Amino acid sequence: MARISPLSGFPEWLPEGRAVEHAVLETVRRTFELHGFAGIQTRAVEPLEQLLRKGETSKEVYVLRRLQAEESVDAGEDDLDHKALGLHFDLTVPFARYVLENSGRLQFPFKRYQVQSVWRGERPQEGRFREFTQADIDVVGSGALPFHFEVEVPLVMAEVFARLQQFGVPPVRIQVNNRKVAQGFYEAIGLADVEGVLRTIDKLDKIGPERVLATLQQENGASPEQAQSCLDLASISGTDGSIADRVLALGARSELLQEGLEELVTLVEAAQQRVPGTVVADLKIARGLDYYTGSVYETTLVGHEQLGSISSGGRYDSLASDGSATYPGVGMSIGVTRLVSRLLSADLVRASRSVPTAVLVAVTDEQTRADSVAIAAALRRRGIPTDVAPSAAKFGKQIRFADRRGIPFVWFPSPEGHQVKDIRNGEQVDADAQTWEPPAADLWPTVAPTV
Amino acid sequence: MARISPLSGFPEWLPEGRAVEHAVLETVRRTFELHGFAGIQTRAVEPLEQLLRKGETSKEVYVLRRLQAEESVDAGEDDLDHKALGLHFDLTVPFARYVLENSGRLQFPFKRYQVQSVWRGERPQEGRFREFTQADIDVVGSGALPFHFEVEVPLVMAEVFARLQQFGVPPVRIQVNNRKVAQGFYEAIGLADVEGVLRTIDKLDKIGPERVLATLQQENGASPEQAQSCLDLASISGTDGSIADRVLALGARSELLQEGLEELVTLVEAAQQRVPGTVVADLKIARGLDYYTGSVYETTLVGHEQLGSISSGGRYDSLASDGSATYPGVGMSIGVTRLVSRLLSADLVRASRSVPTAVLVAVTDEQTRADSVAIAAALRRRGIPTDVAPSAAKFGKQIRFADRRGIPFVWFPSPEGHQVKDIRNGEQVDADAQTWEPPAADLWPTVAPTV
């Protein structure tokens, strides 16, 4: 086999790292389900024409080709559906297609979650990968979708991250804004290029206020006063109704602005009551994508802000649309791989062992292996993850086998009566495979903050 | 958005179908873990050169190309690692690479399970897909791997399928053979083209004994007597030591044949004791792949034999090898998508509802939505999956909302005292969100045999 080396941007974990990822995903999934979101999975591929509808993302797409497509004698086979296929780069495009494809068989509003890999051919860097796992929730309506879902979605995410703190995941700050505020404000002060201004404001943290002011004037048609107003708006943040007062103090007025402010204040005030200190209105949050039409969300890990957002999303008035209906929605996506890679690289979280096994049954000699196997079967029937020593080596070697994997108990079978040893403290007691139980904390591997 | 139609070979499920798949996967995963297998995930892509090492599979590979690779001005970026990449077509090739890449950080024998999508550009048909999920276990040793793992692996799978019967999955028959028996026998009767004979015997069920006899003579260099001996060998099956007697009665003798027969009898006799009636030695099982060197396994769903094997695998003396070590292993893979698609299309298994939700909290009017949300939060804190009605429609409409999704309980908040209604029988009782609990059977959706 050729020399093996990792591929940049395609992260993989050792078993103990995967145990951390799995624990995170189980918590995420369970929290989504507690809130009534149903799980689905979509295929990894979409027709390229669907993936390229947003021109901006085209550079990221991986296109598929069957290796023998050119050589195939059967013209039908190499392109079964007569469509070029690419790997999905997010879970939103496939979900939109799934909703249209199944609209007659789904109940709306449809709340779904989806945990899957996505692929982007970007240059990899810290926290940015070519293959990574996302965990998305979306609520999608048929024709209409009430605003209250824009409050619900970030609060579900706040609950997910609150629960993840048990593993040692740092607290998060969810920054929210409302596209109607920005759009209403820019239009009210006479700026027509709303998209352009948003894109420039989106770079504020990266390029700083001076260059934003310059760009707004050079590229987005703003006067010096208009540019300064945009910057003033972006500087506002808070967790209560005072943010609306400060926006209105800048002088602009419009119906859209008013509506956006009311929504934004409703959101942060509800959040302040239910998850105090987690959700903050931050009017510089712009979100690059042009399909957002209401609330937008970004989430940073406190103390790891430079990692970028680990959960983002927003409201879109048209997730998808066919001849007869439009499907508005609101959703957020967790960048699971970005989060987990930081948890592991910063050694914030650890699994208690690298295998599921709680008990290793020793083997006295190969002639009595069947006895050891029968003990293991009895323990497993009672839900205790158990393995049998791979060889009838000296007991010291079998204990080391367990120790190297973090298996806490070794079982010694004997015709005179079984014993089980806690190899962490050396305590050894008589035991019966029909009744003995490990302490609950040792039954399955646990994932906990690194101490 | 363009007209939407499914892609052939890329199956997707509605939420209730996904619930069935998820229940199957959770049982599979938990059983693997009870037996000490640690979960890992590998990236979806491998260097094409790795995927093509077995020439036979090259036609199935999907090759990746970054859409903008040709246009890139940065020559380094379009091919970061200077390697063409393809999607993996099984989980064995990536696992072999993972073992080599991490050999210094893994403990051997290494027992791993892996549940992931794989891709093959084959012509789709019943039970055969272009994207599908596999659930694999393998035990891999460094340098050596004792035979007893060849007994363990199919018995773990037997336990998986025994547990799956609770959901309405039909019982299975695991057919086993041993490559040493076939090779030892063919060599002993003077046939040199062992691979060729195996490939021909592998077609027995498909083309019948007459054409097998002819092919053995025309393509594999067999005399009429040799061909008949091969067919006689393939006709033997059984669950105890008598299979060895019947093989030996055919007259051939060799050390390899003897070793293979001992292993095969050991396997079926252990299986007969531990999972009676599930595992059968069937000497026509050949398995096409040439890397098997000992036990081989195939599994059929009783009553659905024409679906083909839903779990296959075997022993290989060299899963991988680097300069310093060779890694022998034994493994089996479950074709999860093949199994689940049959469970759904034959309506064998059903989920009790299409959403996780056990309770829908009604909303009296939008002004008191916060009260309903608070009740839902209280129920969720106690682990009860709860949703809130999307709009303050008439209660009859809110009940229909629950009914259409299979949500069993609707909660009616009121300043005078809350009530909860079991909408299946109309029973309505006073309830307190701090103490009320649904019956355990209603808490989460269940997956059960279709009645």
Side-chain angles (χ1 to χ4, degrees):
Chain A
M1 192 170 273
R3 202 173 59 81
I4 298 293
S5 55
L7 291 178
S8 316
F10 293 90
E12 291 182 331
W13 318 126
L14 289 169
E16 44 272 45
R18 170 60 185 165
V20 169
E21 181 178 59
H22 187 76
V24 167
L25 287 175
E26 281 299 289
T27 299
V28 166
R29 194 178 64 76
R30 212 53 168 176
T31 310
F32 291 165
E33 293 189 343
L34 273 175
H35 287 263
F37 290 82
I40 66 161
Q41 300 241 291
T42 57
R43 63 191 190 220
V45 305
E46 296 295 333
L48 197 55
E49 67 197 40
Q50 295 292 336
L51 294 172
L52 300 185
R53 287 178 64 241
K54 306 278 175 197
E56 278 195 279
T57 53
S58 63
K59 67 176 179 302
E60 304 171 352
V61 175
Y62 279 110
V63 185
L64 297 190
R65 176 175 62 80
R66 288 182 55 248
L67 187 62
Q68 302 216 333
E70 306 100 329
E71 308 155 30
S72 175
V73 284
D74 177 353
E77 194 186 327
D78 62 30
D79 189 8
L80 210 59
D81 293 282
H82 308 289
K83 279 176 183 168
L85 301 177
L87 293 174
H88 58 217
F89 54 80
D90 70 7
L91 301 178
T92 306
V93 170
F95 177 55
R97 189 263 315 153
Y98 180 95
V99 165
L100 287 186
E101 193 173 317
N102 297 293
S103 60
R105 294 174 284 181
L106 298 173
Q107 304 288 339
F108 295 95
F110 177 47
K111 298 172 69 172
R112 85 84 173 80
Y113 76 87
Q114 195 171 343
V115 180
Q116 283 185 247
S117 296
V118 305
W119 293 268
R120 296 182 190 179
E122 292 177 355
R123 178 170 285 282
Q125 45 183 278
E126 170 81 21
R128 182 176 293 187
F129 306 100
R130 295 189 143 188
E131 175 177 50
F132 55 100
T133 301
Q134 288 194 336
D136 281 27
I137 52 173
D138 283 87
V139 186
V140 61
S142 176
L145 190 78
F147 167 73
H148 63 76
F149 288 114
E150 295 177 52
V151 179
E152 177 179 350
V153 164
L155 296 190
V156 172
M157 285 303 186
E159 190 174 320
V160 165
F161 286 106
R163 285 168 188 256
L164 288 176
Q165 289 186 42
Q166 69 180 298
F167 300 134
V169 176
V172 296
R173 172 156 297 119
I174 301 178
Q175 295 157 294
V176 303
N177 194 2
N178 193 300
R179 188 57 64 88
K180 294 174 188 170
V181 172
Q183 185 178 345
F185 185 89
Y186 301 155
E187 287 173 355
I189 64 171
L191 283 168
D193 181 14
V194 173
E195 291 301 329
V197 175
L198 277 171
R199 271 197 299 275
T200 302
I201 292 293
D202 202 25
K203 296 176 191 153
L204 184 54
D205 281 345
K206 200 186 282 180
I207 65 176
E210 292 310 318
R211 287 184 54 196
V212 163
L213 277 178
T215 308
L216 287 171
Q217 295 172 63
Q218 287 154 21
E219 295 180 15
N220 308 122
S223 69
E225 295 71 27
Q226 288 170 326
Q228 185 57 50
S229 286
C230 293
L231 211 56
D232 290 344
L233 182 73
S235 73
I236 293 171
S237 69
T239 57
D240 60 30
S242 71
I243 48 175
D245 302 335
R246 278 180 286 157
V247 172
L248 295 174
L250 297 178
R253 293 288 181 281
S254 87
E255 222 170 285
L256 191 66
L257 172 61
Q258 192 60 41
E259 189 181 320
L261 286 173
E262 276 165 24
E263 290 183 353
L264 187 58
V265 169
T266 301
L267 169 53
V268 291
E269 289 188 343
Q272 200 54 18
Q273 201 175 0
R274 287 163 57 192
V275 284
T278 304
V279 177
V280 181
D282 191 334
L283 276 67
K284 74 170 185 291
I285 299 299
R287 305 291 306 140
L289 297 166
D290 59 3
Y291 52 73
Y292 291 121
T293 54
S295 304
V296 291
Y297 320 107
E298 289 191 358
T299 308
T300 49
L301 268 188
V302 174
H304 301 262
E305 288 77 6
Q306 79 296 353
L307 188 60
S309 178
I310 53 162
S311 181
S312 307
R315 156 89 187 206
Y316 35 83
D317 279 344
S318 177
L319 169 71
S321 127
D322 51 27
S324 52
T326 292
Y327 299 90
V330 54
M332 284 183 86
S333 174
I334 302 177
V336 176
T337 305
R338 177 177 287 187
L339 173 65
V340 170
S341 71
R342 175 56 60 101
L343 297 180
L344 296 176
S345 68
D347 196 20
L348 298 170
V349 183
R350 277 192 204 165
S352 59
R353 52 190 193 243
S354 67
V355 291
T357 318
V359 183
L360 179 75
V361 182
V363 174
T364 311
D365 50 54
E366 286 300 331
Q367 286 67 49
T368 61
R369 171 171 293 279
D371 299 341
S372 298
V373 167
I375 291 162
L379 292 170
R380 288 184 196 120
R381 265 195 296 278
R382 296 174 42 244
I384 302 167
T386 306
D387 209 347
V388 176
S391 73
K394 292 210 174 87
F395 280 163
K397 197 174 169 194
Q398 298 191 40
I399 290 171
R400 279 198 300 282
F401 176 97
D403 189 44
R404 275 200 301 268
R405 289 160 176 79
I407 301 171
F409 295 96
V410 177
W411 188 285
F412 299 101
S414 156
E416 290 85 53
H418 305 304
Q419 291 205 311
V420 65
K421 183 189 196 105
D422 183 334
I423 66 171
R424 295 162 299 187
N425 58 21
E427 247 176 59
Q428 187 163 336
V429 297
D430 292 338
D432 179 335
Q434 303 303 330
T435 55
W436 178 85
E437 283 187 5
D442 289 330
L443 185 60
W444 290 102
T446 54
V447 167
T450 305
V451 285
Chain B
M1 193 170 272
R3 200 173 61 81
I4 298 293
S5 56
L7 291 177
S8 315
F10 293 90
E12 292 182 332
W13 317 126
L14 289 169
E16 44 274 43
R18 170 59 185 165
V20 169
E21 181 177 61
H22 187 75
V24 167
L25 287 175
E26 281 300 289
T27 299
V28 167
R29 194 179 63 75
R30 211 55 167 177
T31 310
F32 291 165
E33 293 188 344
L34 273 174
H35 287 264
F37 290 82
I40 66 161
Q41 300 242 290
T42 58
R43 63 191 189 218
V45 306
E46 296 295 332
L48 198 54
E49 68 198 40
Q50 295 292 336
L51 295 171
L52 300 186
R53 288 178 62 241
K54 306 278 175 197
E56 278 194 279
T57 53
S58 63
K59 68 176 178 304
E60 306 171 351
V61 175
Y62 279 111
V63 184
L64 296 190
R65 176 176 62 83
R66 288 183 56 248
L67 187 62
Q68 301 217 334
E70 306 98 330
E71 308 155 31
S72 175
V73 284
D74 178 354
E77 193 185 328
D78 61 30
D79 189 10
L80 210 59
D81 292 282
H82 308 290
K83 279 176 183 167
L85 301 177
L87 294 174
H88 57 217
F89 53 81
D90 70 8
L91 301 178
T92 306
V93 171
F95 177 55
R97 189 263 314 153
Y98 180 94
V99 165
L100 287 186
E101 193 174 316
N102 297 294
S103 58
R105 295 173 285 182
L106 298 173
Q107 304 289 338
F108 294 95
F110 178 47
K111 298 172 70 171
R112 84 84 173 81
Y113 75 88
Q114 196 170 343
V115 180
Q116 283 186 248
S117 296
V118 306
W119 294 267
R120 296 182 189 178
E122 293 178 354
R123 177 170 285 281
Q125 45 184 278
E126 170 81 21
R128 183 176 292 185
F129 306 99
R130 294 189 144 187
E131 175 179 51
F132 55 98
T133 300
Q134 287 194 338
D136 282 27
I137 51 173
D138 283 89
V139 186
V140 62
S142 177
L145 189 77
F147 167 73
H148 63 78
F149 287 114
E150 295 176 53
V151 178
E152 176 180 350
V153 163
L155 295 190
V156 172
M157 286 302 187
E159 190 174 321
V160 165
F161 286 106
R163 285 169 188 256
L164 288 177
Q165 289 186 42
Q166 67 179 302
F167 300 135
V169 176
V172 296
R173 173 158 296 119
I174 301 179
Q175 295 158 294
V176 303
N177 194 1
N178 193 301
R179 188 58 64 88
K180 294 174 188 170
V181 171
Q183 185 178 344
F185 185 90
Y186 301 156
E187 288 171 355
I189 64 170
L191 282 169
D193 181 13
V194 172
E195 290 301 329
V197 174
L198 276 172
R199 271 197 300 276
T200 302
I201 291 293
D202 201 25
K203 295 175 189 154
L204 183 55
D205 281 344
K206 200 186 282 179
I207 66 176
E210 292 311 317
R211 288 184 55 197
V212 163
L213 277 178
T215 308
L216 287 170
Q217 294 170 63
Q218 287 153 20
E219 295 180 14
N220 308 124
S223 69
E225 295 71 29
Q226 287 170 325
Q228 186 58 49
S229 286
C230 292
L231 209 57
D232 291 344
L233 182 74
S235 73
I236 294 170
S237 69
T239 58
D240 59 29
S242 71
I243 47 175
D245 301 336
R246 279 181 284 156
V247 172
L248 295 175
L250 297 178
R253 293 287 182 283
S254 87
E255 221 171 287
L256 190 65
L257 172 62
Q258 191 61 40
E259 187 181 319
L261 285 173
E262 276 165 26
E263 291 183 353
L264 186 59
V265 169
T266 300
L267 168 53
V268 291
E269 288 189 343
Q272 201 53 19
Q273 202 176 357
R274 286 164 56 191
V275 285
T278 303
V279 177
V280 181
D282 191 333
L283 276 67
K284 73 170 184 292
I285 299 299
R287 305 290 306 141
L289 297 167
D290 59 2
Y291 51 74
Y292 292 120
T293 53
S295 303
V296 291
Y297 320 106
E298 289 191 358
T299 309
T300 49
L301 267 189
V302 174
H304 302 261
E305 288 78 6
Q306 79 296 353
L307 187 60
S309 178
I310 53 163
S311 181
S312 308
R315 156 89 188 207
Y316 34 83
D317 279 344
S318 177
L319 170 72
S321 125
D322 51 28
S324 53
T326 292
Y327 299 90
V330 55
M332 284 182 87
S333 174
I334 302 177
V336 176
T337 305
R338 176 177 287 188
L339 173 65
V340 170
S341 70
R342 175 56 61 100
L343 297 179
L344 296 176
S345 67
D347 195 21
L348 299 171
V349 183
R350 277 193 205 164
S352 59
R353 51 189 193 246
S354 68
V355 293
T357 319
V359 184
L360 178 75
V361 182
V363 175
T364 312
D365 49 53
E366 287 299 333
Q367 287 66 49
T368 60
R369 172 171 293 278
D371 299 339
S372 297
V373 167
I375 291 162
L379 292 170
R380 288 185 197 119
R381 265 194 297 278
R382 296 174 41 245
I384 302 168
T386 306
D387 209 347
V388 177
S391 75
K394 292 210 173 91
F395 279 163
K397 197 174 168 193
Q398 297 191 40
I399 291 171
R400 279 197 300 282
F401 176 97
D403 190 44
R404 275 199 300 270
R405 289 160 177 79
I407 301 172
F409 295 97
V410 177
W411 189 284
F412 299 102
S414 157
E416 291 86 53
H418 304 304
Q419 291 204 311
V420 65
K421 183 190 198 102
D422 182 333
I423 65 171
R424 295 162 300 187
N425 58 22
E427 249 178 57
Q428 188 161 336
V429 297
D430 292 338
D432 179 334
Q434 304 302 331
T435 55
W436 178 84
E437 283 188 6
D442 290 329
L443 184 61
W444 290 101
T446 53
V447 167
T450 304
V451 284

